[in-house]
Amino acid sequence: MLRNLIKRSHSKNTLEIIHAAFPMSLADDVSEVMTHIPVADIEPPIDASCKVHSVSGDITVPSRVYFPEILPSYYKNFTNTQKSILAAIFTRHHSGYQRENWAEQLTVHPSDWSTPFLALLLGDYVQEILMALEQRLGDEWRPLFLDFAARNPEWRRPLNHRILAYWDTYYRQQSPRFVDYVGYKVTERLGLWDKKTAPKLTRAKGNTILNIPNIEFL
């Protein structure tokens, strides 16, 4: 079945979107990886893409991809760079299980170009993904995330906002204290939590997303 899926070719639009998510220096490896990824029936959306600045230049990461689900074992003959490219692509998958699985794969390949993919996952609503990041993002990642945050200052506040909103909506009963929520813990450990963000958000005029009285802040 996998072979039948691979016989089809990705559209020019899909290839352009995926290539735009990586530095030009990786173009050959990205092309090689894409020849092994099964073709999706749905194109990656463009309007919801995220453009960020990295050491290697500006990249535009798709908000979601819809390729058929795959397993890392299919690609054991890839180089380490190609494995990390594949993992980065599938951290944008519409399936939370795929995002979690491939996020774990990507955490073993720290680099300036892979950081944006994991940085975007820090704002995911699936707690299991955040738990995987908390367990697997070691100290070697902290400078990479701090550099990413410095190059993308407009990204930090929305990230903090999403973490608060998802905690309040989905996980407040499970973790009554916000400081015990895994989304906060991993973000704070990486130096990405703005201690001034939460009070500003809860005082925001007309805020209907958050209802967080007496929250414990650090």
Side-chain angles (χ1 to χ4, degrees):
M1 182 177 179
L2 180 61
R3 290 180 179 177
N4 291 334
L5 288 168
I6 294 178
K7 286 180 180 178
R8 298 165 56 196
S9 298
H10 295 289
S11 70
K12 179 181 178 182
N13 184 56
T14 291
L15 292 174
E16 288 178 350
I17 291 172
I18 297 301
H19 272 275
F22 297 93
M24 288 295 295
S25 60
L26 296 176
D28 289 344
D29 283 311
V30 173
S31 294
E32 176 63 21
V33 168
M34 289 301 293
T35 64
H36 295 274
I37 293 179
V39 176
D41 292 325
I42 303 175
E43 299 275 359
I46 300 175
D47 55 347
S49 296
C50 180
K51 184 174 183 178
V52 297
H53 310 294
S54 71
V55 175
S56 304
D58 292 352
I59 60 173
T60 304
V61 180
S63 60
R64 285 289 179 260
V65 297
Y66 298 90
F67 303 116
E69 297 184 15
I70 59 176
L71 296 173
S73 57
Y74 291 157
Y75 302 92
K76 59 185 178 181
N77 293 326
F78 275 9
T79 67
N80 285 337
T81 297
Q82 291 167 353
K83 288 178 182 177
S84 58
I85 290 171
L86 178 68
I89 293 170
F90 274 77
T91 63
R92 310 312 301 156
H93 202 272
H94 68 94
S95 165
Y97 293 107
Q98 286 282 291
R99 295 200 301 279
E100 178 187 354
N101 190 5
W102 289 98
E104 292 178 358
Q105 301 295 318
L106 190 56
T107 57
V108 301
H109 300 288
S111 69
D112 62 276
W113 64 261
S114 62
T115 302
F117 291 89
L118 294 178
L120 294 175
L121 278 185
L122 292 173
D124 205 288
Y125 63 90
V126 179
Q127 184 173 231
E128 288 76 11
I129 294 174
L130 301 175
M131 293 172 65
L133 296 179
E134 168 66 0
Q135 294 169 4
R136 295 174 178 272
L137 288 175
D139 293 341
E140 70 275 12
W141 281 97
R142 183 180 167 90
L144 293 169
F145 277 104
L146 290 176
D147 180 79
F148 176 79
R151 294 175 185 273
N152 299 274
E154 72 287 350
W155 162 81
R156 191 176 178 189
R157 188 174 189 273
L159 169 68
N160 288 187
H161 192 165
R162 283 194 299 274
I163 291 171
L164 272 166
Y166 289 141
W167 168 78
D168 187 44
T169 303
Y170 301 116
Y171 302 111
R172 188 168 183 167
Q173 288 189 339
Q174 182 178 337
S175 301
R177 294 196 328 150
F178 177 65
V179 292
D180 294 329
Y181 174 54
V182 64
Y184 165 79
K185 289 196 293 185
V186 63
T187 307
E188 194 278 334
R189 180 169 61 80
L190 292 170
L192 303 176
W193 185 258
D194 184 352
K195 296 178 183 179
K196 298 178 181 179
T197 294
K200 288 181 179 179
L201 289 172
T202 55
R203 290 196 301 266
K205 184 178 180 180
N207 190 329
T208 59
I209 297 177
L210 300 176
N211 178 24
I212 312 178
N214 302 318
I215 187 172
E216 181 176 337
F217 299 116
L218 293 182

